[in-house]
Amino acid sequence: MLAEPASVLAKAWDQIERISNRAFFLGGRGLVCGAGPIGLLACLLGVQRGSEMHVVDLATGGVKRDLVEGLGARYHAGDAAEVDVDAEVVIECTGLGAVGRAAARRLVSGGIMCLTGIMNVDPVPDVDATVMNRAMVLRNTVLFGTVNAGRRHGEQAVAALAAADPQWLSAMITRRVPLGRWAEALNRGPDGVKVVVDL
């Protein structure tokens, strides 16, 4: 239940490292938007790579903050626009254009931004391509997206999960629902992270 989403983040970090090494090595500081399962796994893999990780989420505390701080990362509650962190890597995990734009402002020149989140939106993209083009060219930044991963990234994900603290991984699963009540898994709670349907 964690290997597939972890493979998406293994691919993200693999691509970040490949892109970075084409120019110069970026390694120091990462910013993750969203403390759901994808965001937490992005943070985990960043910490395992030795990066100073920051996570921003709307939740003011609770299990999300505990999970981020349990990795030795820094948790920021609130709007991504208000996070006072200059990041070399931004991984956007909410799928919200406004969050992505706000986080992109925290990206240093030469930085890399990875989009992993997808939201249901209007068919017209919420972006000013001219402004984005100018900012990316003048600041020499890279923007890419990732979703599905291949076998290599699946293997990297399994290795990352095997190296993680089992208690931390267990704490990501905030609710288990029996198969007969599977529809309840679709109900989100304020402290929910990963909901599992027990087969």
Side-chain angles (χ1 to χ4, degrees), residues 61-89:
V63 68
K64 290 181 175 184
R65 177 186 292 272
D66 295 343
L67 285 164
V68 169
E69 292 176 351
L71 292 172
R74 182 152 174 228
Y75 185 87
H76 304 266
D79 190 326
E82 298 171 6
V83 176
D84 189 21
V85 173
D86 292 325
E88 295 161 324
V89 173

PDB file of all heavy atoms in Angstrom, residues 61-89:
ATOM      1  N   GLY A  61      -1.385  21.217  13.092  1.00  0.00           N
ATOM      2  CA  GLY A  61      -0.653  20.310  13.979  1.00  0.00           C
ATOM      3  C   GLY A  61      -1.155  18.902  13.800  1.00  0.00           C
ATOM      4  O   GLY A  61      -1.634  18.522  12.739  1.00  0.00           O
ATOM      5  N   GLY A  62      -1.041  18.100  14.850  1.00  0.00           N
ATOM      6  CA  GLY A  62      -1.547  16.741  14.806  1.00  0.00           C
ATOM      7  C   GLY A  62      -0.579  15.767  14.178  1.00  0.00           C
ATOM      8  O   GLY A  62       0.638  15.977  14.167  1.00  0.00           O
ATOM      9  N   VAL A  63      -1.129  14.709  13.620  1.00  0.00           N
ATOM     10  CA  VAL A  63      -0.323  13.593  13.129  1.00  0.00           C
ATOM     11  C   VAL A  63       0.590  14.013  11.978  1.00  0.00           C
ATOM     12  O   VAL A  63       1.717  13.518  11.870  1.00  0.00           O
ATOM     13  CB  VAL A  63      -1.215  12.390  12.749  1.00  0.00           C
ATOM     14  CG1 VAL A  63      -2.071  12.674  11.539  1.00  0.00           C
ATOM     15  CG2 VAL A  63      -0.378  11.140  12.533  1.00  0.00           C
ATOM     16  N   LYS A  64       0.147  14.922  11.119  1.00  0.00           N
ATOM     17  CA  LYS A  64       0.990  15.345  10.003  1.00  0.00           C
ATOM     18  C   LYS A  64       2.257  16.031  10.503  1.00  0.00           C
ATOM     19  O   LYS A  64       3.367  15.732  10.059  1.00  0.00           O
ATOM     20  CB  LYS A  64       0.214  16.259   9.057  1.00  0.00           C
ATOM     21  CG  LYS A  64      -0.873  15.529   8.281  1.00  0.00           C
ATOM     22  CD  LYS A  64      -1.609  16.457   7.348  1.00  0.00           C
ATOM     23  CE  LYS A  64      -2.604  15.705   6.502  1.00  0.00           C
ATOM     24  NZ  LYS A  64      -3.281  16.569   5.516  1.00  0.00           N
ATOM     25  N   ARG A  65       2.083  16.954  11.432  1.00  0.00           N
ATOM     26  CA  ARG A  65       3.258  17.625  12.018  1.00  0.00           C
ATOM     27  C   ARG A  65       4.168  16.592  12.694  1.00  0.00           C
ATOM     28  O   ARG A  65       5.392  16.619  12.529  1.00  0.00           O
ATOM     29  CB  ARG A  65       2.831  18.683  13.029  1.00  0.00           C
ATOM     30  CG  ARG A  65       4.019  19.358  13.721  1.00  0.00           C
ATOM     31  CD  ARG A  65       3.578  20.301  14.828  1.00  0.00           C
ATOM     32  NE  ARG A  65       2.890  21.461  14.331  1.00  0.00           N
ATOM     33  CZ  ARG A  65       3.487  22.599  13.963  1.00  0.00           C
ATOM     34  NH1 ARG A  65       4.789  22.711  14.048  1.00  0.00           N
ATOM     35  NH2 ARG A  65       2.782  23.617  13.523  1.00  0.00           N
ATOM     36  N   ASP A  66       3.562  15.679  13.457  1.00  0.00           N
ATOM     37  CA  ASP A  66       4.349  14.662  14.160  1.00  0.00           C
ATOM     38  C   ASP A  66       5.155  13.804  13.186  1.00  0.00           C
ATOM     39  O   ASP A  66       6.316  13.481  13.442  1.00  0.00           O
ATOM     40  CB  ASP A  66       3.441  13.769  15.010  1.00  0.00           C
ATOM     41  CG  ASP A  66       2.769  14.524  16.145  1.00  0.00           C
ATOM     42  OD1 ASP A  66       3.219  15.644  16.487  1.00  0.00           O
ATOM     43  OD2 ASP A  66       1.780  13.995  16.698  1.00  0.00           O
ATOM     44  N   LEU A  67       4.540  13.419  12.070  1.00  0.00           N
ATOM     45  CA  LEU A  67       5.232  12.584  11.090  1.00  0.00           C
ATOM     46  C   LEU A  67       6.393  13.332  10.442  1.00  0.00           C
ATOM     47  O   LEU A  67       7.480  12.775  10.265  1.00  0.00           O
ATOM     48  CB  LEU A  67       4.251  12.075  10.033  1.00  0.00           C
ATOM     49  CG  LEU A  67       3.329  10.950  10.510  1.00  0.00           C
ATOM     50  CD1 LEU A  67       2.148  10.773   9.564  1.00  0.00           C
ATOM     51  CD2 LEU A  67       4.100   9.646  10.659  1.00  0.00           C
ATOM     52  N   VAL A  68       6.185  14.590  10.088  1.00  0.00           N
ATOM     53  CA  VAL A  68       7.254  15.387   9.483  1.00  0.00           C
ATOM     54  C   VAL A  68       8.403  15.557  10.476  1.00  0.00           C
ATOM     55  O   VAL A  68       9.574  15.320  10.145  1.00  0.00           O
ATOM     56  CB  VAL A  68       6.721  16.757   9.011  1.00  0.00           C
ATOM     57  CG1 VAL A  68       7.868  17.689   8.629  1.00  0.00           C
ATOM     58  CG2 VAL A  68       5.754  16.577   7.835  1.00  0.00           C
ATOM     59  N   GLU A  69       8.070  15.950  11.691  1.00  0.00           N
ATOM     60  CA  GLU A  69       9.116  16.158  12.698  1.00  0.00           C
ATOM     61  C   GLU A  69       9.780  14.844  13.092  1.00  0.00           C
ATOM     62  O   GLU A  69      10.954  14.830  13.461  1.00  0.00           O
ATOM     63  CB  GLU A  69       8.535  16.880  13.905  1.00  0.00           C
ATOM     64  CG  GLU A  69       8.151  18.323  13.562  1.00  0.00           C
ATOM     65  CD  GLU A  69       7.485  19.074  14.698  1.00  0.00           C
ATOM     66  OE1 GLU A  69       7.138  18.457  15.729  1.00  0.00           O
ATOM     67  OE2 GLU A  69       7.297  20.304  14.539  1.00  0.00           O
ATOM     68  N   GLY A  70       9.045  13.729  12.979  1.00  0.00           N
ATOM     69  CA  GLY A  70       9.625  12.414  13.247  1.00  0.00           C
ATOM     70  C   GLY A  70      10.732  12.043  12.273  1.00  0.00           C
ATOM     71  O   GLY A  70      11.558  11.176  12.559  1.00  0.00           O
ATOM     72  N   LEU A  71      10.745  12.688  11.123  1.00  0.00           N
ATOM     73  CA  LEU A  71      11.819  12.475  10.138  1.00  0.00           C
ATOM     74  C   LEU A  71      12.991  13.428  10.350  1.00  0.00           C
ATOM     75  O   LEU A  71      13.980  13.367   9.626  1.00  0.00           O
ATOM     76  CB  LEU A  71      11.274  12.664   8.720  1.00  0.00           C
ATOM     77  CG  LEU A  71      10.278  11.629   8.233  1.00  0.00           C
ATOM     78  CD1 LEU A  71       9.680  12.058   6.902  1.00  0.00           C
ATOM     79  CD2 LEU A  71      10.950  10.265   8.106  1.00  0.00           C
ATOM     80  N   GLY A  72      12.842  14.345  11.302  1.00  0.00           N
ATOM     81  CA  GLY A  72      13.874  15.362  11.499  1.00  0.00           C
ATOM     82  C   GLY A  72      13.717  16.526  10.538  1.00  0.00           C
ATOM     83  O   GLY A  72      14.634  17.331  10.388  1.00  0.00           O
ATOM     84  N   ALA A  73      12.558  16.636   9.896  1.00  0.00           N
ATOM     85  CA  ALA A  73      12.284  17.729   8.970  1.00  0.00           C
ATOM     86  C   ALA A  73      11.516  18.824   9.693  1.00  0.00           C
ATOM     87  O   ALA A  73      11.064  18.643  10.821  1.00  0.00           O
ATOM     88  CB  ALA A  73      11.488  17.203   7.778  1.00  0.00           C
ATOM     89  N   ARG A  74      11.341  19.955   9.030  1.00  0.00           N
ATOM     90  CA  ARG A  74      10.635  21.085   9.635  1.00  0.00           C
ATOM     91  C   ARG A  74       9.250  21.217   9.026  1.00  0.00           C
ATOM     92  O   ARG A  74       9.099  21.197   7.809  1.00  0.00           O
ATOM     93  CB  ARG A  74      11.430  22.367   9.426  1.00  0.00           C
ATOM     94  CG  ARG A  74      10.765  23.538  10.084  1.00  0.00           C
ATOM     95  CD  ARG A  74      11.724  24.609  10.497  1.00  0.00           C
ATOM     96  NE  ARG A  74      10.950  25.741  10.998  1.00  0.00           N
ATOM     97  CZ  ARG A  74      11.139  26.982  10.639  1.00  0.00           C
ATOM     98  NH1 ARG A  74      12.086  27.284   9.808  1.00  0.00           N
ATOM     99  NH2 ARG A  74      10.386  27.932  11.136  1.00  0.00           N
ATOM    100  N   TYR A  75       8.254  21.380   9.882  1.00  0.00           N
ATOM    101  CA  TYR A  75       6.860  21.499   9.461  1.00  0.00           C
ATOM    102  C   TYR A  75       6.432  22.952   9.504  1.00  0.00           C
ATOM    103  O   TYR A  75       6.713  23.662  10.465  1.00  0.00           O
ATOM    104  CB  TYR A  75       5.972  20.667  10.389  1.00  0.00           C
ATOM    105  CG  TYR A  75       4.519  20.614   9.975  1.00  0.00           C
ATOM    106  CD1 TYR A  75       4.079  19.657   9.080  1.00  0.00           C
ATOM    107  CD2 TYR A  75       3.601  21.531  10.477  1.00  0.00           C
ATOM    108  CE1 TYR A  75       2.750  19.606   8.691  1.00  0.00           C
ATOM    109  CE2 TYR A  75       2.273  21.491  10.099  1.00  0.00           C
ATOM    110  CZ  TYR A  75       1.854  20.520   9.200  1.00  0.00           C
ATOM    111  OH  TYR A  75       0.539  20.472   8.811  1.00  0.00           O
ATOM    112  N   HIS A  76       5.751  23.394   8.439  1.00  0.00           N
ATOM    113  CA  HIS A  76       5.226  24.763   8.363  1.00  0.00           C
ATOM    114  C   HIS A  76       3.722  24.667   8.157  1.00  0.00           C
ATOM    115  O   HIS A  76       3.276  24.072   7.169  1.00  0.00           O
ATOM    116  CB  HIS A  76       5.850  25.526   7.197  1.00  0.00           C
ATOM    117  CG  HIS A  76       7.343  25.573   7.229  1.00  0.00           C
ATOM    118  ND1 HIS A  76       8.041  26.616   7.795  1.00  0.00           N
ATOM    119  CD2 HIS A  76       8.273  24.700   6.765  1.00  0.00           C
ATOM    120  CE1 HIS A  76       9.342  26.390   7.674  1.00  0.00           C
ATOM    121  NE2 HIS A  76       9.505  25.230   7.056  1.00  0.00           N
ATOM    122  N   ALA A  77       2.955  25.223   9.059  1.00  0.00           N
ATOM    123  CA  ALA A  77       1.495  25.226   8.924  1.00  0.00           C
ATOM    124  C   ALA A  77       1.069  26.499   8.219  1.00  0.00           C
ATOM    125  O   ALA A  77       1.529  27.590   8.561  1.00  0.00           O
ATOM    126  CB  ALA A  77       0.834  25.138  10.295  1.00  0.00           C
ATOM    127  N   GLY A  78       0.209  26.365   7.222  1.00  0.00           N
ATOM    128  CA  GLY A  78      -0.329  27.549   6.561  1.00  0.00           C
ATOM    129  C   GLY A  78      -0.113  27.542   5.070  1.00  0.00           C
ATOM    130  O   GLY A  78      -0.007  26.499   4.432  1.00  0.00           O
ATOM    131  N   ASP A  79      -0.010  28.741   4.522  1.00  0.00           N
ATOM    132  CA  ASP A  79       0.071  28.979   3.089  1.00  0.00           C
ATOM    133  C   ASP A  79       1.519  28.854   2.610  1.00  0.00           C
ATOM    134  O   ASP A  79       2.442  29.376   3.240  1.00  0.00           O
ATOM    135  CB  ASP A  79      -0.448  30.395   2.810  1.00  0.00           C
ATOM    136  CG  ASP A  79      -0.648  30.678   1.340  1.00  0.00           C
ATOM    137  OD1 ASP A  79       0.126  30.168   0.511  1.00  0.00           O
ATOM    138  OD2 ASP A  79      -1.587  31.422   1.027  1.00  0.00           O
ATOM    139  N   ALA A  80       1.714  28.202   1.469  1.00  0.00           N
ATOM    140  CA  ALA A  80       3.063  28.040   0.918  1.00  0.00           C
ATOM    141  C   ALA A  80       3.709  29.383   0.616  1.00  0.00           C
ATOM    142  O   ALA A  80       4.933  29.505   0.670  1.00  0.00           O
ATOM    143  CB  ALA A  80       3.007  27.182  -0.342  1.00  0.00           C
ATOM    144  N   ALA A  81       2.902  30.396   0.313  1.00  0.00           N
ATOM    145  CA  ALA A  81       3.445  31.725   0.015  1.00  0.00           C
ATOM    146  C   ALA A  81       4.120  32.350   1.221  1.00  0.00           C
ATOM    147  O   ALA A  81       4.965  33.233   1.082  1.00  0.00           O
ATOM    148  CB  ALA A  81       2.338  32.643  -0.498  1.00  0.00           C
ATOM    149  N   GLU A  82       3.770  31.904   2.414  1.00  0.00           N
ATOM    150  CA  GLU A  82       4.303  32.507   3.632  1.00  0.00           C
ATOM    151  C   GLU A  82       5.483  31.736   4.227  1.00  0.00           C
ATOM    152  O   GLU A  82       6.020  32.124   5.262  1.00  0.00           O
ATOM    153  CB  GLU A  82       3.184  32.623   4.666  1.00  0.00           C
ATOM    154  CG  GLU A  82       2.056  33.534   4.184  1.00  0.00           C
ATOM    155  CD  GLU A  82       0.836  33.487   5.090  1.00  0.00           C
ATOM    156  OE1 GLU A  82       0.891  32.842   6.150  1.00  0.00           O
ATOM    157  OE2 GLU A  82      -0.182  34.086   4.712  1.00  0.00           O
ATOM    158  N   VAL A  83       5.889  30.659   3.601  1.00  0.00           N
ATOM    159  CA  VAL A  83       7.019  29.869   4.102  1.00  0.00           C
ATOM    160  C   VAL A  83       8.309  30.611   3.786  1.00  0.00           C
ATOM    161  O   VAL A  83       8.579  30.957   2.639  1.00  0.00           O
ATOM    162  CB  VAL A  83       7.040  28.458   3.457  1.00  0.00           C
ATOM    163  CG1 VAL A  83       8.265  27.689   3.896  1.00  0.00           C
ATOM    164  CG2 VAL A  83       5.783  27.707   3.830  1.00  0.00           C
ATOM    165  N   ASP A  84       9.103  30.853   4.803  1.00  0.00           N
ATOM    166  CA  ASP A  84      10.353  31.597   4.639  1.00  0.00           C
ATOM    167  C   ASP A  84      11.507  30.621   4.444  1.00  0.00           C
ATOM    168  O   ASP A  84      12.377  30.487   5.307  1.00  0.00           O
ATOM    169  CB  ASP A  84      10.588  32.508   5.849  1.00  0.00           C
ATOM    170  CG  ASP A  84      11.761  33.450   5.623  1.00  0.00           C
ATOM    171  OD1 ASP A  84      12.118  33.676   4.456  1.00  0.00           O
ATOM    172  OD2 ASP A  84      12.319  33.931   6.621  1.00  0.00           O
ATOM    173  N   VAL A  85      11.485  29.925   3.305  1.00  0.00           N
ATOM    174  CA  VAL A  85      12.511  28.923   2.997  1.00  0.00           C
ATOM    175  C   VAL A  85      12.899  29.095   1.536  1.00  0.00           C
ATOM    176  O   VAL A  85      12.036  29.071   0.658  1.00  0.00           O
ATOM    177  CB  VAL A  85      11.975  27.489   3.213  1.00  0.00           C
ATOM    178  CG1 VAL A  85      12.971  26.464   2.722  1.00  0.00           C
ATOM    179  CG2 VAL A  85      11.642  27.253   4.670  1.00  0.00           C
ATOM    180  N   ASP A  86      14.168  29.297   1.270  1.00  0.00           N
ATOM    181  CA  ASP A  86      14.651  29.291  -0.107  1.00  0.00           C
ATOM    182  C   ASP A  86      15.104  27.871  -0.415  1.00  0.00           C
ATOM    183  O   ASP A  86      16.054  27.368   0.178  1.00  0.00           O
ATOM    184  CB  ASP A  86      15.808  30.279  -0.274  1.00  0.00           C
ATOM    185  CG  ASP A  86      15.338  31.714  -0.117  1.00  0.00           C
ATOM    186  OD1 ASP A  86      14.204  32.004  -0.527  1.00  0.00           O
ATOM    187  OD2 ASP A  86      16.107  32.534   0.418  1.00  0.00           O
ATOM    188  N   ALA A  87      14.406  27.219  -1.338  1.00  0.00           N
ATOM    189  CA  ALA A  87      14.629  25.797  -1.599  1.00  0.00           C
ATOM    190  C   ALA A  87      15.301  25.574  -2.945  1.00  0.00           C
ATOM    191  O   ALA A  87      15.031  26.283  -3.917  1.00  0.00           O
ATOM    192  CB  ALA A  87      13.293  25.057  -1.561  1.00  0.00           C
ATOM    193  N   GLU A  88      16.168  24.595  -2.986  1.00  0.00           N
ATOM    194  CA  GLU A  88      16.794  24.186  -4.234  1.00  0.00           C
ATOM    195  C   GLU A  88      15.911  23.199  -4.986  1.00  0.00           C
ATOM    196  O   GLU A  88      15.986  23.082  -6.200  1.00  0.00           O
ATOM    197  CB  GLU A  88      18.165  23.581  -3.949  1.00  0.00           C
ATOM    198  CG  GLU A  88      19.122  24.597  -3.376  1.00  0.00           C
ATOM    199  CD  GLU A  88      20.301  23.964  -2.672  1.00  0.00           C
ATOM    200  OE1 GLU A  88      20.138  22.924  -2.027  1.00  0.00           O
ATOM    201  OE2 GLU A  88      21.392  24.528  -2.785  1.00  0.00           O
ATOM    202  N   VAL A  89      15.060  22.499  -4.225  1.00  0.00           N
ATOM    203  CA  VAL A  89      14.124  21.539  -4.804  1.00  0.00           C
ATOM    204  C   VAL A  89      12.756  21.789  -4.185  1.00  0.00           C
ATOM    205  O   VAL A  89      12.645  21.913  -2.967  1.00  0.00           O
ATOM    206  CB  VAL A  89      14.568  20.080  -4.514  1.00  0.00           C
ATOM    207  CG1 VAL A  89      13.508  19.089  -4.957  1.00  0.00           C
ATOM    208  CG2 VAL A  89      15.899  19.779  -5.183  1.00  0.00           C
TER     209      VAL A  89
END
